[in-house]
């Protein structure tokens, strides 16, 4: 059950004013006590007034009114007055704090009794009086009524009963004596006084209710302040009208490390400014505090630095101005607390949110904000800003082969070099992974921007010494100019990303500036992806087969299945265009399964001695279901596993983890052969031959063409690869053989198999079957 609250200053109804009803959920005892205390304070004066009035009437009416009645009335009235005052004075506790409704009504009864005793006088003695005596009685009664209405209005019900009884008695007496006009005046006078008494009583009750509510609030505030001052590290502070400290609390003095007496009457701003007071080098928080104090404005949670000794603390202050009853300004009173720990924690969190934890460079969030500010300034002054996006070349290979700790330390070295390249007004940050970005606020000099991009490529491409490893990486850069290449941060970053994409396509170690055509290429890529997603269900794919022949004799040993795509809207799309899109869109999996099933089914129409070679991407080998797909294709077509050769490139070994190697081992256990395609064009190719057991090494066409031109490096590489393959029990296939001279050359160098236009271009399945003189009807 909740405790009733003290009566508030809300307008009470007349039942509450008269004491007839008691409001619910409101403690009205304090207000009733205040009403009764008014009556009690005036009790002696009422008693003396009553005795004087009684004596005056007895003196004037003696000899006219019957002696027994006159003195009997006088004694009875005096006795009632004495009882009333005795009940008020006998309680040694003069002021009561609360009163019940019964106590309130008891006062009403006593006032009514007094009114009856005085109202009886005109009725009893009016017929014995002449005009002069009636005037005295009239005057005495009206004076008592007016005095009661004025002084005793705090108890409106009791006073109204008193007034009505006396007024009715006086009016009735005058009416009986045929003073009709005087009787009417007496009635009107009594009613008017009663109305005034009711209004005055209600106003008094409202005032007392407000006073009690305020007192209760002050008591609660005092308790809270006392509890506040006794607990925690917060403190109270107060200034006078001249902004000097007053009533310095011990906690406030302790927070400053000085005695309370030393702070008394000292200017608050001077105390907080410390040594900066003489120099005038104020912090922004102190300036704001001074401005608020000057304007006499309330403030809350104002944070400012305060130097205490040799340490800088952070304080949080809140205060409100104080005024006296006349509206005069007295100063400020408020609270303060030391929030140094919270501030340092917030600064740390803010730093972590805006800086990369590994390199210490600004992160993507801060780089984006810096670019936004640069674009705003460029638009304001009609200038230019630039954004350079940087991606490290070959970083993934180092990260995967040497481990993430080496990769992380390499990134920190890259960050150090980038810091030395950018200017003071430029922002360099890490966007994530091995991507970095540079914001150039003033990019009006295109030559300087180009020079910066080239310096980044050259500097980041120099060797790194990390944990006794000499590491070689490169850098690709894409740049975009704002607001020309994008009017929003997102658009400008997208433009720089497209330019970077072109640099990566060019093989890395290059810088490309954004061109509108790049967006066209991106849109074409998007359209290509949408069409590619529907190509399988629309049967738009087909396979062509290119023969691989024996170097000695030219007999067909195998066919390489090559994927082709004919789209009704796009026409014939080159694999160089759609395969990278399929890999990025994660469509290479279902497409690769279709290729396996279709090619294996077709291979069953060839002689048993002819094998099938199918290209497999790194994305496919990363799929846990790839081995199942191979098994399913072999089972569905009934093609023996030894007739299937899967060709992989060195990109398989550049992916994180060893999942692809495990898949290759499973395939070897099935009896499937493996070929390493495009050998010699990647990173540290020789090292990959030790990772798994390959059956064939395919020498890239670039070495074949170089050797045909008598390039010593190409000739040496082919000889070395053939010798190594022979020693490891592997076969070699020379790719891209197009002329008789090239054929004779690779055969002379020891290549066992040859593939190229000289022996057949990629052809549809029927044409491939005709090479075996297989009739179409049988197919």
């Amino acid at each position: 059950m909740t405790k009733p609250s003290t009566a508030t200053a809300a307008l009470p109804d007349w039942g509450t004013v008269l004491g007839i009803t008691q409001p619910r959920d409101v403690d009205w005892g304090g207000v009733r006590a205040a009403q009764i205390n008014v009556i009690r304070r005036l009790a002696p004066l009422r008693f003396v007034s009553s005795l004087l009035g009684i004596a005056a009437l007895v003196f004037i009416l003696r000899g006219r009114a019957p002696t027994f009645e006159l003195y009997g009335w006088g004694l009875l009235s005096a006795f009632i007055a004495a009882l009333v005052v005795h009940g008020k004075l006998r309680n040694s506790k003069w002021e009561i704090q609360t009163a019940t409704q019964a106590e309130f009504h008891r006062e009403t009864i006593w006032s009514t009794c007094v009114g009856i005793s005085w109202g009886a006088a005109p009725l009893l003695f009016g017929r014995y009086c002449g005009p002069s005596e009636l005037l005295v009685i009239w005057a005495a009664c009206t004076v008592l009524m007016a005095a009661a209405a004025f002084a005793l209005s705090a108890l409106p019900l009791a006073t109204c009963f008193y007034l009505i009884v006396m007024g009715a008695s006086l009016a009735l007496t005058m009416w009986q004596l045929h003073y009709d006009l005087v009787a009417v005046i007496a009635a009107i006078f009594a009613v008017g006084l009663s109305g005034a008494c009711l209004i005055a009583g209600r106003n008094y009750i409202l005032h007392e209710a407000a006073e009690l509510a305020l007192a209760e609030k002050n008591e609660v505030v005092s308790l809270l302040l006392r509890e506040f001052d006794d607990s925690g590290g917060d403190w109270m502070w107060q200034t006078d009208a001249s902004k000097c400290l007053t009533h310095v609390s011990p906690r406030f003095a302790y927070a400053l490390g000085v005695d309370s007496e030393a702070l008394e009457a000292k200017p608050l701003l001077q105390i907080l400014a410390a040594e900066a007071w003489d120099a005038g080098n104020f912090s922004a928080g102190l300036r704001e505090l001074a401005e608020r104090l000057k304007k006499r404005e309330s403030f809350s949670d104002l944070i400012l630095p305060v130097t205490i000794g040799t340490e800088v603390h952070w304080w949080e202050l809140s205060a409100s101005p104080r005024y006296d009853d006349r509206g005069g300004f007295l100063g400020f009173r408020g609270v303060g607390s030391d929030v140094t720990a919270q501030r340092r924690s917030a600064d740390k969190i803010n730093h972590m949110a805006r800086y990369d934890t590994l390199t210490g460079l600004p992160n993507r969030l801060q780089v984006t904000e810096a670019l936004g500010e640069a674009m705003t300034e460029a638009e304001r002054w009609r200038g230019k800003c630039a954004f350079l996006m940087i991606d490290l070349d070959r970083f993934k290979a180092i990260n995967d082969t040497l481990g993430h700790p080496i990769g992380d330390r390499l990134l920190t070295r890259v960050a150090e070099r980038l810091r030395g390249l950018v200017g003071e007004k430029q922002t360099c940050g890490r966007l994530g992974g091995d991507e970095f970005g540079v914001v150039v606020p003033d990019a009006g000099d295109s030559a300087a921007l180009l020079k910066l991009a080239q310096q980044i490529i050259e500097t980041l491409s120099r060797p790194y010494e990390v944990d006794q490893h000499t590491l070689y990486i490169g850098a690709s850069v894409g740049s975009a100019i704002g607001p020309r290449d994008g009017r929003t941060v997102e658009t400008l970053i997208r433009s720089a990303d497209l330019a970077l994409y072109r640099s990566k396509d060019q093989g890395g170690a290059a810088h490309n500036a954004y061109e509108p055509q790049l967006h066209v290429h991106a849109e074409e890529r998007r359209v290509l992806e949408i069409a590619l997603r529907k190509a399988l269900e629309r049967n738009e794919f087909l396979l062509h087969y290119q023969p691989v022949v024996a170097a000695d004799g030219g007999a067909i040993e195998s066919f390489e299945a090559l994927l082709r795509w004919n789209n009704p809207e796009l026409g014939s799309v080159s694999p160089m265009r759609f395969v990278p899109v399929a890999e990025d869109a994660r469509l290479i999996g279902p497409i690769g399964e279709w290729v396996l099933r279709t090619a294996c089914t077709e291979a069953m129409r060839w002689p048993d001695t002819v094998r099938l070679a199918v290209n497999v991407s790194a994305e496919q080998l990363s799929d846990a279901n790839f081995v199942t797909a191979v098994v399913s294709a072999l089972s569905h077509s009934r093609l023996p596993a030894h007739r299937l050769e899967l060709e992989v490139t060195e990109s398989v070994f550049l992916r994180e983890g060893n999942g692809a190697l495990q898949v290759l081992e499973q395939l070897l256990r099935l009896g499937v052969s493996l070929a390493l395609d495009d050998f010699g064009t990647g990173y540290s190719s020789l090292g990959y031959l030790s990772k798994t057991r390959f059956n064939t090494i395919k020498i890239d066409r670039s070495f074949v063409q170089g050797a045909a031109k008598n390039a010593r490096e190409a000739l040496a590489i082919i000889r070395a690869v053939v010798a190594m393959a022979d020693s490891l029990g592997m076969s070699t296939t020379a790719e891209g053989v197009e002329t008789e001279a090239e054929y004779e050359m690779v055969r002379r160098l020891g290549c066992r198999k040859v593939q190229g236009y000289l022996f057949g271009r990629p052809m549809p399945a029927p044409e491939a079957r005709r090479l075996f003189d297989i009739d179409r009807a049988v197919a």
Side-chain angles (χ1 to χ4, degrees), residues 233 235-237 245 248-260 262-264 266-274 304-311 313 315 317 337-338:
W235 60 82
M236 302 288 298
W237 61 274
L245 291 169
V248 178
S249 68
R251 288 191 177 277
F252 181 57
Y254 176 78
L256 285 169
V258 296
D259 295 331
S260 301
L263 295 175
E264 199 70 32
K266 292 293 182 65
L268 172 66
L269 295 177
Q270 182 178 353
I271 295 298
L272 298 180
L304 70 159
V306 178
T307 302
I308 302 175
T310 58
E311 295 186 1
H313 290 248
W315 282 10
L317 301 180
S337 59
D338 192 321

Side-chain angles (χ1 to χ4, degrees), residues 439-512:
V439 178
V440 182
D442 184 7
D445 188 351
S446 58
L449 185 64
L450 178 61
K451 181 179 179 181
L452 175 61
Q454 293 299 330
Q455 286 178 339
I456 290 174
I457 295 173
E458 294 173 4
T459 303
L460 298 187
S461 298
R462 295 171 187 165
Y464 297 83
E465 297 294 333
V466 180
D467 291 357
Q468 299 180 350
H469 294 281
T470 301
L471 306 179
Y472 296 88
I473 60 172
S476 300
V477 181
S479 63
I481 305 295
R484 184 192 67 190
D485 300 334
R487 293 193 170 274
T488 65
V489 172
E490 293 76 11
T491 306
L492 195 63
I493 292 177
R494 173 62 176 164
S495 298
D497 193 25
L498 291 174
L500 174 63
Y501 193 81
R502 170 177 282 187
S503 298
K504 299 293 285 187
D505 279 349
Q506 293 174 353
H511 164 246
N512 278 275

Side-chain angles (χ1 to χ4, degrees), residues 75 143 247 278-279 340 382 411 493 515 629 660 676 723:
L75 291 174
V143 168
H247 302 89
D278 296 329
T340 305
R382 297 184 179 180
L411 287 176
I493 292 177
E515 299 175 359
L676 183 59

